[in-house]
Amino acid sequence: MAAGSREQWNSRVGFIAAAVGSAVGLGNMWRFSYLTAEKGGAAFVALYLIFTAAVGLPVMLAELTLGRGARKSPIQALAHYGGDRWKWLGAVFVAAGFIILSYYSVIAGWTVRYACEAIFTGFSDDPGQHFAAIREGWSAFLFHAVFMGATMGVVSGGVIRGIERVAVIAMPALFVLVCGIALYAATLDGAQVGYRYYLNADFTNAFSMDVLISAAGQAFFSLSLGMGAMLTFASYLPRDSHLPNASLAIAGADFGVAFLAGLMVFPLIFALGLQSDVSESTLGALFVALPKAFVSMGGVGRFVGLCFFVALVVGALTSAISLLEVVVSAAVDGLGWARQRATLVLGLVITALGGLAAWNIAVLDVMDQVANNLFLVGGGFALAVFVGWVMKDPIGEVEIGAEGVRWFLGWRILMRFVVPAVLLVVLYHSIPTTIKNIWELLTTL
Ligand code: TRP
């Protein structure tokens, strides 16, 4: 492409599909379900919804505003509005991209493996033992590498011919699969027990710091915020796009799919009497409890299980694409590399880094906590300070293409005061816990 010309999404729908594709992924299905189970059901869901609306949505609008306005990837976009002394924040974003994609792809690799098993061999009769055997080691690394290869293939195709083309097919397909499975789950005897667990709020633990921190981290992770992914996608937008509507559509679709995921997972598991697998849910619980449920449903279970894991693979792929795009666009804009070269080199570095997570699930768990509780929440805090206090005229920029919207002053107040204050409290409490968990990991290795 000629120097100075930047790719632009083919259509409004294409951008929305790609951004929803970024947001909707393992975060909505795997992470949301296991955290909901671990943190006590509906109360966690309610807090997560509050964070999505009050903190996630304003930060989403901020990222879209910065990206569309600067038409650059994160490091240059921050320098564009804040001068060179803000470049470090963009570099932190890129570092977060490396960390998140490297373990995200390992989990995605498990889902690829399970989808293959549903097709070729059927699920194992002893899912607990099976998962313990495949979650770490060479097999985990191999499927991770395959998944990374697919991600690199799409990103090297570019914004229109790679990312947009995959997203406009993948997102509707994922939505149909998720709705179909949720409807099927509703027909199972005993599904009500699952709904009751999922939807009956018990607020006794809701306000513990631990639950609040997880809900905040989950809101950022699920919306792909806090590391410039939405910013990067917005940098390929035309100048007249309506950013508030786009933010609402993305956040709405993201919460919708997470909510639907709960409507699939909990009835399936509870109808088959597998609640004990969930009550002390850990990161791997879904990869054990759900295959158990699918096995005990026989042939139908194998098909439903295939649909489920295909939905996970599709969601994970469109999310991984956005993570890799942040890193690749930084090298294209900042170092002047060709897209293909950046994708190949950086993709291979991330594949190698993922070896750490594939080698030990405890490392994966800590990488996930560090990325979410420190990088994303910290990145969201810094972004709020930047847009709230440093950027000259954020309202003037966000208003373009959205002239009739009245609540930008509310957005400004949220970005100046509410979002930074809330995130500071979350960080204050999550930093010690996260450091403690890193330390414990290091001493047990
Ligand atoms: N949001 C994705 C999910 O829910 C993960 C993801 C993609 C992400 N891009 C991101 C998370 C950027 C944080 C930042 O699965």
Side-chain angles (χ1 to χ4, degrees):
M1 209 181 322
S5 76
R6 193 176 184 75
E7 271 197 274
Q8 208 169 77
W9 303 104
N10 238 336
S11 68
R12 200 176 309 246
V13 174
F15 163 71
I16 297 286
V20 171
S22 168
V24 170
L26 296 173
N28 304 60
M29 296 184 261
W30 156 75
R31 204 169 188 278
F32 172 78
S33 317
Y34 108 73
L35 280 177
T36 301
E38 183 182 275
K39 309 293 177 193
F44 172 79
V45 182
L47 279 176
Y48 160 67
L49 179 60
I50 293 172
F51 267 105
T52 298
V55 181
L57 206 51
V59 175
M60 170 81 70
L61 189 54
E63 284 207 24
L64 297 188
T65 305
L66 287 171
R68 184 192 63 176
R71 305 186 59 71
K72 303 236 169 59
S73 55
I75 300 179
Q76 272 79 21
L78 287 162
H80 178 87
Y81 283 113
D84 277 358
R85 52 176 210 281
W86 279 89
K87 278 192 168 168
W88 65 271
L89 182 57
V92 172
F93 289 171
V94 175
F98 272 95
I99 300 177
I100 297 179
L101 183 52
S102 67
Y103 76 81
Y104 194 85
S105 167
V106 173
I107 302 162
W110 300 341
T111 66
V112 173
R113 179 179 183 120
Y114 276 50
C116 293
E117 287 176 359
I119 297 173
F120 298 112
T121 59
F123 296 111
S124 155
D125 292 330
D126 187 347
Q129 205 214 336
H130 179 65
F131 181 65
I134 62 110
R135 64 185 196 186
E136 294 156 348
W138 282 108
S139 143
F141 186 77
L142 186 76
F143 281 93
H144 150 68
V146 168
F147 181 83
M148 276 305 298
T151 307
M152 288 155 66
V154 177
V155 171
S156 69
V159 174
I160 298 174
R161 287 189 313 126
I163 301 174
E164 181 169 351
R165 200 155 61 174
V166 169
V168 293
I169 300 168
M171 282 302 105
L174 180 137
F175 190 70
V176 169
L177 285 171
V178 172
C179 288
I181 300 169
L183 286 175
Y184 171 75
T187 67
L188 297 172
D189 286 335
Q192 301 84 323
V193 193
Y195 293 133
R196 215 169 297 139
Y197 176 83
Y198 179 40
L199 301 174
N200 261 4
D202 167 11
F203 282 94
T204 40
N205 295 323
F207 299 106
S208 76
M209 261 305 153
D210 172 54
V211 179
L212 278 170
I213 292 168
S214 307
Q218 173 63 11
F220 273 80
F221 184 82
S222 188
L223 290 168
S224 303
L225 294 177
M227 54 151 281
M230 288 298 169
L231 189 164
T232 305
F233 273 10
S235 75
Y236 306 115
L237 273 176
R239 193 105 185 93
D240 61 351
S241 42
H242 196 296
L243 301 183
N245 283 356
S247 308
L248 282 170
I250 300 164
D254 186 58
F255 182 79
V257 173
F259 191 75
L260 274 170
L263 292 180
M264 318 192 273
V265 167
F266 293 105
L268 276 171
I269 291 177
F270 282 73
L272 290 144
L274 297 169
Q275 26 276 69
S276 62
D277 284 17
V278 164
S279 53
E280 297 146 50
S281 181
T282 60
L283 189 161
L286 275 191
F287 292 90
V288 177
L290 280 172
K292 271 192 200 168
F294 296 138
V295 167
S296 61
M297 293 186 304
V300 188
R302 187 162 163 185
F303 179 71
V304 177
L306 174 63
C307 294
F308 181 82
F309 285 109
V310 167
L312 279 172
V313 171
V314 168
L317 181 65
T318 53
S319 297
I321 288 168
S322 77
L323 286 160
L324 187 56
E325 178 63 22
V326 170
V327 176
V328 165
S329 70
V332 171
D333 288 356
L335 305 174
W337 287 13
R339 170 174 284 273
Q340 279 77 6
R341 170 169 177 225
T343 309
L344 184 68
V345 173
L346 300 170
L348 287 177
V349 172
I350 292 171
T351 307
L353 191 62
L356 292 172
W359 159 68
N360 185 333
I361 195 171
V363 176
L364 190 159
D365 194 1
V366 168
M367 285 170 93
D368 181 56
Q369 291 181 34
V370 169
N372 288 282
N373 302 346
L374 300 184
F375 276 86
L376 297 186
V377 176
F381 171 72
L383 265 171
V385 171
F386 186 82
V387 172
W389 300 92
V390 177
M391 188 178 172
K392 286 245 166 44
D393 183 18
I395 295 191
E397 180 57 48
V398 74
E399 260 176 351
I400 298 168
E403 280 76 14
V405 177
R406 305 262 192 117
W407 41 265
F408 287 128
L409 196 61
W411 173 63
R412 180 125 173 97
I413 293 170
L414 282 173
M415 291 306 285
R416 282 204 141 181
F417 304 105
V418 180
V419 174
V422 171
L423 293 181
L424 204 57
V425 173
V426 172
L427 276 173
Y428 176 80
H429 289 276
S430 68
I431 289 173
T433 326
T434 311
I435 291 178
K436 190 179 113 246
N437 289 340
I438 299 175
W439 180 248
E440 274 173 12
L441 171 74
L442 291 177
T443 52
T444 53
L445 281 182

